[in-house]
Amino acid sequence: MNYEQLREFAKQIRINTVECIGSLGVGHIGGSLSIADVLAVLYGKHMNVNPKEPKMEGRDRLVCSKGHAGPAIYAVLAEKGYFPKSELLTLNQGGTNLPSHCDMNKTIGVDMTAGSLGQGLSAAVGIAIGAKLRKDGATSYAIIGDGESQEGQIWEAAMYAGHMKLDNLIVFTDFNKLQLDGEVEKINDIEPLVDKWRSFNWEVIEVADGNNVEAIDKAITKAKSVKGKPKMIILHTVKGKGVSFVEKAWVGSHSMSIDAEKVAIAVKEIRGA
Amino acid sequence: MLKNMLMRDVLVEFLREEMAKNENVVVLDADLSKCSTTICLNDVYPERMLNVGIAEANMAGVAAGLSTYGFIPYITTFGPFATRRIADQLMISICYSKQNVKIVGADPGICAELNGGTHMPLEDIGMLRSIPDIVIYEPTDVIEFNQALPQIQSHYGPVYIRMHRKSPPIVHKDDLKFDLFKAMVLEKGDDVTIVASGIMVKTALDAREELAKEGISAEVICCPTIKPLDSKTILKSVKKTGAVVTAENHNVMGALTSAVSEVLVENYPAPLRSVGVKEKFGEVGKEAYLRKVFNMEVKDVVKAAKDVIKAK
């Protein structure tokens, strides 16, 4: 996909996300919308995956360690054709394949179960080691949250990935500055984040506008070219990006209500953007 | 010769053979590979022998990630660090996500001896038993363990191996035909059933001899797999004897005693007495001292058996 197509893809991911959460009326909309652009660039350009063969050997993997962003993952997977888009409207209903938090045993195309924060990055490290042992050339991608980075296990995984020089591991921090209870910097500041990851022997690339597909694409391309260490791409994002009433909800957007009327307003705004 | 081997050596030799045959077998340690002696695998298979350092949560997660890739990871550390330290990682990254990770927790209960209360898992089985689908196995001796390991590896899914690193007494005969999911009647009897696991199996057998001197006939069941419990074998015996003693190297809450009680209450209520640790933390000491402190000696099993027979 070219940049115009990636922007359109990101819009469609946002629309799917809003409709998915809107079908239930409540959900983790803020942190889902903030990663729509990186998902568009990954699934629209960089990831070697095949929706017709979801378990294809040697495919790239994505661990969404901030598992509550499940709706955004479902939005991109449905758009890619892993399952019918109509399934998006079953979010969190009894018996659904699309639970609030990502579950690899329920949703086709999800590579790892997550939900208890801090655990997914370790799994992504294991996947990267697995790909090295198999010598299949696969890349292990992961998305972690800024609030999630307060978990100790993130830094256990960071230390080990740096030690193992896992250059097939590319991780994104969705740095939208907000967590459930408030502002990250006021609750337990994770800054200086670039210095932290660099000191753990990672290549660190900072993207000032983490909702810009062109900037994200360039960061991934650069990350892929670096050998001998894992890569951290810090995306400065906006929680709720693309839907103004969600952005305005600010810390309230972590999990918020969205009725049918608001879904229509959101979809109209995303389409017109 | 197998009988002279330490339990950890049985594990290491199994892993060495399996790693040679099967490129999917991976071993992970968290800075205790000298204690489990898995460190020697580093000389042979350095790429598949991963020492993550003192970071058990990450070890569990890395193992889960490797499992998603089709590997069979064994994570090895001391019992408390393999369970209570990483309970959520075991639950979510390994069990809930249905990964094929084998968890080796060394030195069950009082076998942690001089490492003391901090290192003495008396609650590990209790913590894990309510997680769906996990298999919980406490090897009895090296003869059995040697037969259990291939079955554990061919069973898809998480298995917790509560392994004594050294040499618990031999209780099985050389011609043992072990089935991981079956309890074994080691000695027949009519008056009382003693269900035992781990180091308490030998204690139960010794108690049986003492009881016999007083004309009491005890049936001894060795129950190494606490989950899933072989309730059929236990119920068959209790229907004959009408009374039960459980003997385990664990807090009596949550593990063998609880599992047996649940089966009895639902199917065939019968009086039961337990031998094991009762509402106490571990402490330092040699096994003999700790058995005395926690009332886990032969005489305690004898006393429990006589007491429960009276309650019939």
Side-chain angles (χ1 to χ4, degrees):
Chain A
M1 287 186 191
N2 62 34
Y3 290 137
E4 191 49 41
Q5 288 167 321
L6 287 175
R7 275 189 285 272
E8 285 304 311
F9 189 30
K11 278 187 190 180
Q12 196 56 51
I13 293 168
R14 286 200 161 83
I15 290 169
N16 290 357
T17 302
V18 168
E19 289 182 342
C20 179
I21 294 173
S23 70
L24 192 73
V26 64
H28 295 111
I29 191 161
S32 293
L33 289 172
S34 62
I35 63 167
D37 307 287
V38 66
L39 291 176
V41 179
L42 284 173
Y43 282 90
K45 183 166 179 183
H46 286 280
M47 280 178 75
N48 171 32
V49 290
N50 181 359
K52 292 197 177 72
E53 202 187 333
K55 301 275 184 193
M56 180 177 75
E57 274 190 34
R59 72 187 188 279
D60 294 337
R61 263 77 161 181
L62 171 66
V63 178
C64 184
S65 192
K66 44 172 279 182
H68 55 282
I73 302 292
Y74 310 149
V76 69
L77 292 176
E79 200 58 34
K80 289 287 284 185
Y82 282 84
F83 50 82
K85 282 175 78 168
S86 57
E87 260 197 59
L88 291 171
L89 306 182
T90 69
L91 180 77
N92 273 348
Q93 290 173 23
T96 185
N97 291 320
L98 308 181
S100 190
H101 300 82
C102 296
D103 187 330
M104 63 181 289
N105 294 301
K106 292 203 184 296
T107 314
I108 296 168
V110 167
D111 291 312
M112 183 61 199
T113 298
S116 183
L117 291 174
Q119 297 192 25
L121 183 56
S122 294
V125 170
I127 289 167
I129 293 169
K132 290 263 184 195
L133 288 172
R134 290 269 194 271
K135 298 185 173 67
D136 61 11
T139 299
S140 175
Y141 292 97
I143 301 174
I144 65 173
D146 46 8
E148 181 181 16
S149 302
Q150 293 159 344
E151 288 279 6
Q153 193 180 342
I154 290 291
W155 303 102
E156 289 185 10
M159 192 185 290
Y160 191 55
H163 170 77
M164 294 290 282
K165 301 181 170 49
L166 295 175
D167 53 12
N168 60 343
L169 176 66
I170 299 178
V171 182
F172 305 88
T173 297
D174 176 26
F175 200 0
N176 59 35
K177 320 292 185 295
L178 301 174
Q179 57 188 115
L180 192 151
D181 271 347
E183 293 170 77
V184 173
E185 75 172 341
K186 288 189 179 162
I187 288 170
N188 186 5
D189 196 3
I190 61 174
E191 291 279 27
L193 197 57
V194 171
D195 293 348
K196 280 192 179 70
W197 285 97
R198 208 162 268 156
S199 74
F200 279 75
N201 299 317
W202 287 54
E203 177 73 15
V204 184
I205 302 165
E206 210 173 1
V207 179
D209 181 357
N211 294 114
N212 179 307
V213 294
E214 194 171 338
I216 297 167
D217 172 56
K218 285 180 175 156
I220 297 173
T221 303
K222 186 183 169 200
K224 282 179 165 173
S225 72
V226 175
K227 300 295 171 204
K229 50 183 168 175
K231 298 81 181 246
M232 165 51 69
I233 298 176
I234 296 173
L235 301 172
H236 292 276
T237 57
V238 173
K239 200 161 183 173
K241 178 71 182 180
V243 180
S244 47
F245 68 81
V246 183
E247 289 183 30
K248 277 184 198 141
W250 203 50
V251 294
S253 76
H254 183 81
S255 177
M256 66 184 281
S257 299
I258 174 165
D259 59 20
E261 194 185 333
K262 281 188 174 157
V263 169
I265 293 168
V267 169
K268 194 175 168 196
E269 182 184 349
I270 295 164
R271 284 228 169 90
Chain B
M1 191 180 164
L2 182 60
K3 275 187 189 174
N4 299 327
M5 286 172 78
L6 303 180
M7 217 166 238
R8 67 183 176 196
D9 296 336
V10 173
L11 175 72
V12 168
E13 288 316 307
F14 170 79
L15 291 172
R16 190 196 297 275
E17 280 178 29
E18 288 301 311
M19 287 173 103
K21 283 193 293 198
N22 186 344
E23 63 180 19
N24 287 330
V25 177
V26 181
V27 178
L28 295 95
D29 274 279
D31 195 43
L32 287 172
S33 65
K34 280 185 185 169
C35 303
S36 63
T37 64
T38 47
I39 194 167
C40 65
L41 300 170
N42 216 4
D43 299 334
V44 205
Y45 307 103
E47 288 188 341
R48 284 184 283 145
M49 177 64 206
L50 303 168
N51 196 333
V52 303
I54 307 166
E56 294 82 4
N58 186 49
M59 174 166 72
V62 170
L66 282 161
S67 168
T68 71
Y69 231 90
F71 290 91
I72 307 173
Y74 286 75
I75 62 174
T76 71
T77 179
F78 286 166
F81 313 138
T83 55
R84 64 173 184 246
R85 172 94 203 180
I86 55 167
D88 193 42
Q89 285 76 15
L90 284 190
M91 169 68 194
I92 302 298
S93 290
I94 294 178
C95 295
Y96 182 79
S97 65
K98 303 185 193 300
Q99 301 307 337
N100 192 19
V101 178
K102 315 305 177 192
I103 304 134
V104 182
D107 291 350
I110 62 170
C111 301
E113 291 192 314
L114 304 189
N115 274 328
T118 55
H119 287 51
M120 203 161 275
L122 295 170
E123 64 297 299
D124 51 331
I125 297 175
M127 291 175 63
L128 300 187
R129 204 165 66 86
S130 51
I131 299 176
D133 298 331
I134 191 170
V135 173
I136 301 172
Y137 167 67
E138 180 167 355
T140 316
D141 67 13
V142 288
I143 295 172
E144 179 196 290
F145 192 38
N146 190 48
Q147 293 187 25
L149 283 166
Q151 298 179 51
I152 287 167
Q153 182 153 308
S154 58
H155 170 87
Y156 184 92
V159 179
Y160 175 53
I161 304 166
R162 195 176 195 243
M163 185 189 77
H164 194 317
R165 272 186 294 157
K166 295 182 181 156
S167 43
I170 302 284
V171 300
H172 292 301
K173 298 188 176 73
D174 290 326
D175 63 352
L176 175 75
K177 297 269 186 292
F178 181 63
D179 180 334
L180 181 62
F181 298 105
K182 291 263 166 66
M184 294 155 279
V185 178
L186 295 187
E187 296 290 347
K188 289 193 177 298
D190 299 314
D191 301 327
V192 60
T193 300
I194 307 173
V195 186
S197 59
I199 57 167
M200 296 307 286
V201 176
K202 177 68 165 60
T203 313
L205 290 168
D206 291 346
R208 182 180 182 275
E209 284 190 17
E210 293 300 313
L211 289 163
K213 288 176 192 166
E214 300 181 45
I216 297 170
S217 156
E219 181 145 307
V220 175
I221 296 180
C222 171
C223 187
T225 298
I226 289 116
K227 182 176 180 161
L229 189 74
D230 177 8
S231 52
K232 202 174 153 190
T233 299
I234 293 166
L235 281 170
K236 189 179 169 199
S237 174
V238 178
K239 281 175 184 174
K240 179 175 66 174
T241 63
V244 191
V245 172
T246 54
E248 61 183 320
N249 178 18
H250 188 282
N251 191 311
V252 294
M253 268 186 212
L256 183 67
T257 302
S258 297
V260 171
S261 302
E262 288 156 18
V263 166
L264 293 178
V265 168
E266 286 202 8
N267 298 280
Y268 190 83
L272 180 147
R273 298 291 180 271
S274 60
V275 177
V277 177
K278 296 187 175 169
E279 203 59 12
K280 280 184 181 166
F281 290 108
E283 59 176 279
V284 288
K286 289 286 201 181
E287 186 182 317
Y289 167 81
L290 294 166
R291 278 179 180 268
K292 200 181 180 88
V293 167
F294 295 122
N295 300 315
M296 289 164 61
E297 297 180 299
V298 174
K299 69 174 170 55
D300 299 303
V301 180
V302 169
K303 184 169 171 285
K306 287 182 183 172
D307 190 42
V308 80
I309 287 169
K310 276 187 218 153
K312 276 207 252 187

